[in-house]
Amino acid sequence: MLFLFLLGLAAGMVVPVQTSINTKLIRFTHSSFYSSAISFSVGAIFLLLVNLIVTPSHFTPSFFANQSLNYTWFVGGLLGVIFLTGNLLLFPRLGASLTVIITIAGQIIMGGVIDTFGWFNADVQPFTFLKFVGVLLLFIGIIVMNYVRNKQKAETSAMVLPWLVIGFMFGFAPPIQTAINSQLGQQVNSSLFASLISFCIGAIALIIITAIVNRSFKLSKFEPNIGKIKPIYFIGGILGVVFVTANIILMPHLGAALTTIVGMLGQMLMGVIIDHFGILGAKQNRINARKITGIICIFIGIILLRFF
């Protein structure tokens, strides 16, 4: 059980790192869509190689003949596209920790809706008063973490508000994606193969979008303010594989509640670490008592929403 918790924590921690790395890649592609297409394609290629080794029987005609190609084969990957591209848009405008926090808010609310109404074959869990308190604490924590005092910062905060709303909506995608991919994993009897399908659909969608929007797949090898392009800028897709596959693996063992909360804890922790130390070129924003108070409120809110 301890290993499963550590796996979920590690899976959550890779999300802000993936976002930071993919943000670097944008400097060379000059396009969020193109960067996301590269990320998904790298993840799909990596998963293809892994699946060919681990589950070669899944690539036979007889396997596909016995499958029902329903919506679970397509929707999960498209939701992944929405979440990843959304993070790339949010990161330079909100910073790592706030990007993580606001998308977590969306994840919590959508997770609560799924549980309350039993969407995607989830067990129905009534919306209680304690869950309502959890929602309030969640938003109090977000406000506390984004609180500003002087007028100049207040103006900046007002400019950030629309992006907070957009980030909140982007957060709806992961709970739905995880629920759908989990169904697909059970259908094909392989978490790795379900991840491969999700990444392939995402990569195809993003390549089409890039071709329409950018009309070019040019990739700069050098940018004046950042230097030469580095191989590390291409590993974002592999980190995405870790997150998606771990969630598919953990849900049957920990359940949706613990899988979500452990992953979110990892995201919050790494988001704050990136901002505090200015890792991967992020603007340094040191942790303080206000942020700690906000994180505590958010963490208590998550517990109330997920366990009561």
Side-chain angles (χ1 to χ4, degrees), residues 249-276:
I249 294 173
L250 291 174
M251 280 196 67
H253 299 285
L254 298 182
L258 282 179
T259 298
T260 302
I261 192 172
V262 172
M264 288 181 177
L265 181 60
Q267 291 180 52
M268 286 190 294
L269 178 61
M270 183 54 71
V272 170
I273 290 173
I274 289 174
D275 270 1
H276 182 74

Side-chain angles (χ1 to χ4, degrees), residues 124-135:
V124 176
Q125 299 180 17
F127 189 79
T128 64
F129 175 75
L130 286 177
K131 288 185 177 181
F132 174 73
V133 174
V135 171

Side-chain angles (χ1 to χ4, degrees), residues 33 36 40 70-86 170 172-174 176-178 180-181 184 194-209 244:
F33 292 119
S36 296
F40 266 75
N70 55 30
Y71 76 98
T72 61
W73 285 68
F74 307 102
V75 177
L78 296 177
L79 290 171
V81 168
I82 293 172
F83 186 61
L84 175 59
T85 306
F170 280 139
F172 292 171
I176 301 175
Q177 180 192 23
T178 299
I180 290 174
N181 284 346
L184 178 59
S195 294
L196 172 61
I197 297 300
S198 182
F199 269 80
C200 284
I201 294 298
I204 293 170
L206 281 164
I207 290 171
I208 293 173
I209 292 172
V244 173

Side-chain angles (χ1 to χ4, degrees), residues 3-297:
F3 171 75
L4 294 176
F5 276 101
L6 293 176
L7 177 61
L9 186 66
M13 293 179 75
V14 304
V15 174
V17 178
Q18 178 195 22
T19 302
S20 300
I21 290 173
N22 287 345
T23 301
K24 289 281 189 180
L25 186 59
I26 289 178
R27 303 286 294 274
F28 296 92
T29 62
H30 306 286
S31 167
S32 298
F33 292 119
Y34 189 12
S35 296
S36 296
I38 292 174
S39 182
F40 266 75
S41 297
V42 169
I45 293 170
F46 175 75
L47 278 167
L48 176 62
L49 296 175
V50 173
N51 274 276
L52 285 171
I53 297 172
V54 178
T55 57
S57 60
H58 282 56
F59 296 91
T60 60
S62 59
F63 171 79
F64 285 98
N66 295 324
Q67 296 301 316
S68 174
L69 299 180
N70 55 30
Y71 76 98
T72 61
W73 285 68
F74 307 102
V75 177
L78 296 177
L79 290 171
V81 168
I82 293 172
F83 186 61
L84 175 59
T85 306
N87 273 306
L88 292 179
L89 293 172
L90 294 171
F91 183 84
R93 295 169 174 86
L94 300 181
S97 60
L98 194 54
T99 295
V100 169
I101 294 301
I102 194 63
T103 53
I104 281 177
Q107 291 177 56
I108 286 291
I109 297 301
M110 179 51 67
V113 171
I114 290 173
D115 287 342
T116 301
F117 295 100
W119 291 355
F120 310 109
N121 297 323
D123 295 333
V124 176
Q125 299 180 17
F127 189 79
T128 64
F129 175 75
L130 286 177
K131 288 185 177 181
F132 174 73
V133 174
V135 171
L136 290 180
L137 285 173
L138 181 68
F139 285 100
I140 289 172
I142 292 171
I143 292 171
V144 168
M145 289 193 70
N146 196 42
Y147 176 75
V148 291
R149 292 184 179 180
N150 61 53
K151 183 178 180 181
Q152 182 178 0
K153 288 186 176 180
E155 290 175 356
T156 302
S157 182
M159 293 173 62
V160 163
L161 182 59
W163 289 105
L164 290 175
V165 175
I166 293 171
F168 177 72
M169 296 177 67
F170 280 139
F172 292 171
I176 301 175
Q177 180 192 23
T178 299
I180 290 174
N181 284 346
S182 181
Q183 290 184 43
L184 178 59
Q186 294 175 14
Q187 179 182 327
V188 300
N189 198 30
S190 171
S191 299
L192 285 171
F193 192 77
S195 294
L196 172 61
I197 297 300
S198 182
F199 269 80
C200 284
I201 294 298
I204 293 170
L206 281 164
I207 290 171
I208 293 173
I209 292 172
T210 301
I212 294 173
V213 175
N214 290 25
R215 300 181 181 180
S216 172
F217 290 92
K218 293 181 180 180
L219 184 68
S220 300
K221 296 182 180 179
F222 179 85
E223 286 295 319
N225 297 327
I226 196 172
K228 293 182 179 179
I229 193 168
K230 300 176 182 178
I232 193 174
Y233 299 155
F234 293 90
I235 70 168
I238 297 176
L239 296 177
V241 167
V242 173
F243 179 69
V244 173
T245 306
N247 278 338
I248 296 174
I249 294 173
L250 291 174
M251 280 196 67
H253 299 285
L254 298 182
L258 282 179
T259 298
T260 302
I261 192 172
V262 172
M264 288 181 177
L265 181 60
Q267 291 180 52
M268 286 190 294
L269 178 61
M270 183 54 71
V272 170
I273 290 173
I274 289 174
D275 270 1
H276 182 74
F277 294 102
I279 299 173
L280 295 170
K283 184 178 179 180
Q284 193 171 38
N285 189 5
R286 293 190 178 279
I287 192 170
N288 51 34
R290 174 174 54 80
K291 288 185 179 180
I292 293 174
T293 301
I295 290 175
I296 291 173
C297 288

